[in-house]
Amino acid sequence: MSTTTIDRLRDTELSYRATLAGGALSVFLLIALLGLAFPSSIWGNFLAILTSRSTLSSALRLSVPITFAALGGIFSEKAGVVNIGLEGLLIISAFTAVITTAVVGPEMTVVGLPAIWIGFFAGILSSVLFSALFAVVCIRFKADQIIAGLAVWLIALGLAPFAATVYYGGVNTDNLGTTLGTWTIPVLSDIPFFGAFFDADPAVYMMLVAVPASWYVLNRTAFGRHVRASGENPKALDTVGVDVSRVRYAGVLLSGFLAGIGGSALSLGLGQFVGNNQTMVNGKGFIAIVAYLFGNYNPIGAFGASFLFAGLEAAQIRLQQVPGYAIPDSLIQTIPYVTVLVILALVGRTRIPEAAGEHYDTGDDNR
C-alpha cells in the first residue's frame, strides 16, 4: 500500500470521525435546547441527568473495565495478535480478586498491605496467566486466534461461576463488606461537576493515568514502535534483528495485565462477584473491542468511546428512576447497546493492522 493511499485513508478516517463527533455534539445541543425550553419535560430531566455530577461520577466508574480492556486489546492487536478473549480476562480477574480477598480475610493486612489490594493484584495475575496461555497457544502453536479467544471467554465464563458455587454454594460470592473506596483530593473535589474527577475510585485515577501513558508508550518509545511494526510488517521487524514472537508475547501479556486491572476494579468496586447469566462483566470486554476499533487503535479515542458508552449506561440508570413517564425500563436499558450497534455499523473504515491475526515464524518468508 503506497504512502499516498495510506495518507488518503487516514484523512478519510479523520473526516469520518469528525463528522460522527459533530453529529453527536449536535444531538447533545438539541437535547440541551429542548431541555432548557421545556424544563418539566423528559428532555429537561434528561438534560439534568446528563449534567449531573453523580452521572459523571458513575460514568467514570463504569468506564474503568471497558477502558482498561480496550487498552489491552490495542497492545495485543497492534502487535499482531487478535485477542477477543478480553471478556474472559475481565471475568477471571473479577472473580479471583474477590475470592482472594475473601480467603485472606477482608479486614486482614499482609506485610502492611490490606487484603483487598492483595486481591486486586491477584486478579491481575490471574488475567496475565490466562493471557500467557492464550499467547502460547496462538504464537507458539499457531492456533486460530479467534477460536482461542472464544475459548478463553468460555472457559472463564464457566470456571468463575463454578468455582463460586463450590466455595459459596451459589454463582454469586458473598459481599466482602469492603470496597476499594474513594480517594478524595481536598479543594479540587469541591469544584462543581468536574469535582467528580477528584473524588473517585482509585481505579479511576489509574485509568486517567493509563490512557495517556499507553498513548505515549505506543507512539514515543522503541517498544511501541516494535509493537506497531509487529502488527504491520513483522518481516521488516525481523530483518532488523528484533524477535517478532517476543514482541507479540509482550503485547498479549500487557493486554492481560491491563484487562486484569479492569476486572479487579469492577468486582472490588462493588465488593462482590456476580456470576448470574453473563456474569457482572456482561459484555464489557466485547464493548471494549468496539471502543478501540472506533478509536482507531488510539488509546485516547478508545477512552472516549468507552466513556460514551459508560455515560449512556449511567444516564439510563438515572432515567429509570425518573417517575411520570410511560417508557418501559427494558426500552431505556437498550439505549447504550443500540448506540454500540450504531457505532459498530459505522466503524467499518477503521484500518486494522495489516498482519493482525497472521502467524509469523522468525526467518521464514511465509507468515
Side-chain angles (χ1 to χ4, degrees):
M1 186 179 293
S2 68
T3 302
T4 303
T5 302
I6 292 174
D7 289 340
R8 189 182 300 115
L9 285 172
R10 185 181 294 113
D11 291 341
T12 301
E13 291 165 4
L14 291 174
S15 175
Y16 164 75
R17 282 170 172 77
T19 301
L20 196 57
L25 180 60
S26 298
V27 171
F28 177 78
L29 291 175
L30 177 61
I31 293 173
L33 288 173
L34 290 172
L36 292 172
F38 308 101
S40 298
S41 67
I42 189 173
W43 302 110
N45 286 323
F46 197 44
L47 178 62
I49 289 171
L50 291 177
T51 55
S52 166
R53 171 170 167 158
S54 62
T55 300
L56 175 59
S57 180
S58 296
L60 288 170
R61 177 175 50 81
L62 291 170
S63 64
V64 166
I66 303 173
T67 298
F68 274 111
L71 294 177
I74 289 173
F75 277 100
S76 181
E77 199 157 328
K78 274 288 192 180
V81 181
V82 180
N83 186 359
I84 68 167
L86 296 172
E87 178 88 355
L89 299 181
L90 288 175
I91 293 172
I92 201 65
S93 57
F95 172 73
T96 302
V98 171
I99 193 70
T100 301
T101 304
V103 170
V104 173
E107 305 302 325
M108 298 291 291
T109 59
V110 178
V111 197
L113 192 65
I116 197 164
W117 285 103
I118 294 175
F120 186 86
F121 294 123
I124 296 173
L125 179 61
S126 68
S127 178
V128 171
L129 291 175
F130 261 64
S131 65
L133 177 61
F134 170 76
V136 170
V137 169
C138 292
I139 299 171
R140 174 68 179 84
F141 296 103
K142 300 180 176 60
D144 184 283
Q145 294 172 11
I146 302 299
I147 294 175
L150 287 173
V152 169
W153 167 48
L154 292 172
I155 290 171
L157 183 62
L159 180 60
F162 172 74
T165 301
V166 171
Y167 192 83
Y168 291 99
V171 294
N172 301 334
T173 67
D174 294 340
N175 196 294
L176 294 173
T178 184
T179 65
L180 291 174
T182 59
W183 289 354
T184 302
I185 301 176
V187 181
L188 294 177
S189 61
D190 296 328
I191 299 173
F193 188 67
F194 294 106
F197 284 96
F198 308 103
D199 185 21
D201 187 300
V204 171
Y205 295 106
M206 295 180 195
M207 175 183 69
L208 295 176
V209 171
V211 170
S214 296
W215 181 91
Y216 181 84
V217 169
L218 276 173
N219 295 283
R220 294 291 186 270
T221 68
F223 173 71
R225 288 192 291 272
H226 292 165
V227 167
R228 287 184 283 120
S230 178
E232 293 289 350
N233 192 342
K235 191 175 189 304
L237 188 64
D238 189 19
T239 301
V240 298
V242 178
D243 190 323
V244 174
S245 294
R246 184 173 297 178
V247 173
R248 290 188 168 183
Y249 274 117
V252 176
L253 290 175
L254 191 51
S255 76
F257 174 79
L258 291 166
I261 296 175
S264 296
L266 176 64
S267 60
L268 294 180
L270 180 65
Q272 181 184 23
F273 174 80
V274 180
N276 291 328
N277 300 321
Q278 298 299 310
T279 76
M280 65 191 307
V281 175
N282 196 29
K284 290 178 175 61
F286 297 115
I287 293 169
I289 295 174
V290 177
Y292 73 69
L293 288 175
F294 180 68
N296 202 25
Y297 298 92
N298 184 321
I300 297 173
F303 167 68
S306 301
F307 186 74
L308 171 63
F309 175 84
L312 290 171
E313 178 78 3
Q316 67 89 5
I317 292 172
R318 293 286 305 280
L319 195 58
Q320 291 180 59
Q321 299 170 358
V322 177
Y325 298 106
I327 303 176
D329 289 348
S330 57
L331 181 60
I332 295 175
Q333 291 169 3
T334 64
I335 292 175
Y337 298 97
V338 169
T339 303
V340 167
L341 289 175
V342 171
I343 291 175
L344 191 59
L346 297 175
V347 83
R349 299 187 185 186
T350 295
R351 196 177 72 84
I352 298 173
E354 291 190 12
E358 298 181 5
H359 301 297
Y360 183 82
D361 286 325
T362 299
D364 189 352
D365 290 337
N366 298 314
R367 285 177 289 175

